[in-house]
Amino acid sequence: MELALQQAQLAPLIGEVPVGAVLVHNHDVIAAGHNYREVSQDPTAHAEMIVIRKAAKRLRTWRLTDTILYVTLEPCPMCAGAIMQARIARLVFGAWDPKAGACGSIVDIPSERRFNHRVQVTGGLLEQESRELLQTFFRTKRGTFSESDSPPKPAS
């Protein structure tokens, strides 16, 4: 997760929201990246999508079984779907996302029993550090701070 945080710290240097991701296979990092939506003007260029594409190319398969994805922010519906389609075994994320989170905040796509693949999900790892990166970025970008920039944990 610390490597995902390092990736997230690189994103603001190019004007991107600080979300980083790392994919691990057999204890080896096989892909790392961060958001590229602004630079590429590609709405699908989320950190998770970048990493999934890199890993599939490296392993020469779209089936990323036996992998763990670490990401600093709870994945959105698009990324949660891609994680399931890629057959990623486990997802670990930092901050919860009450505005677009699809792994427990707004919806919980990975736990939907009607899908044929299950992803083990752990949220809140290095949550404070992940949240602080986002808060600092938005404070700097907007010149103000709002409590809505702070993703809270979902209600239990």
Side-chain angles (χ1 to χ4, degrees):
M1 188 59 154
E2 291 174 357
L3 293 174
L5 280 167
Q6 289 174 13
Q7 285 294 316
Q9 290 168 347
L10 297 173
L13 301 176
I14 59 170
E16 295 287 348
V17 174
V19 177
V22 173
L23 194 71
V24 175
H25 182 254
N26 294 331
H27 305 289
D28 292 324
V29 173
I30 59 170
H34 55 77
N35 279 4
Y36 277 96
R37 286 194 322 172
E38 296 300 327
V39 169
S40 67
Q41 289 300 297
D42 177 356
T44 69
H46 291 198
E48 301 94 324
M49 301 296 282
I50 299 294
V51 166
I52 289 169
R53 288 180 189 128
K54 284 181 180 180
K57 186 173 183 177
R58 180 171 176 183
L59 295 179
R60 297 184 180 160
T61 182
W62 63 267
R63 292 177 184 90
L64 303 177
T65 57
D66 301 320
T67 61
I68 303 171
L69 177 64
Y70 295 90
V71 62
T72 59
L73 182 64
E74 178 185 3
C76 72
M78 173 185 67
C79 293
I83 289 163
M84 293 181 66
Q85 288 297 316
R87 307 300 193 260
I88 291 171
R90 185 168 179 219
L91 165 67
V92 179
F93 66 86
W96 297 90
D97 186 351
K99 295 179 181 178
C103 297
S105 287
I106 295 176
V107 295
D108 195 349
I109 292 172
S111 72
E112 174 55 57
R113 298 252 179 242
R114 292 175 287 183
F115 291 123
N116 67 333
H117 178 68
R118 302 286 178 269
V119 178
Q120 180 185 3
V121 178
T122 303
L125 182 63
L126 298 181
E127 179 179 7
Q128 184 64 32
E129 295 86 340
S130 298
R131 184 184 310 116
E132 285 174 5
L133 276 174
L134 290 163
Q135 288 174 341
T136 299
F137 175 79
F138 286 112
R139 265 189 237 127
T140 301
K141 186 169 182 72
R142 296 178 184 148
T144 61
F145 175 73
S146 162
E147 284 302 315
S148 66
D149 293 332
S150 176
K153 288 185 181 180
S156 297

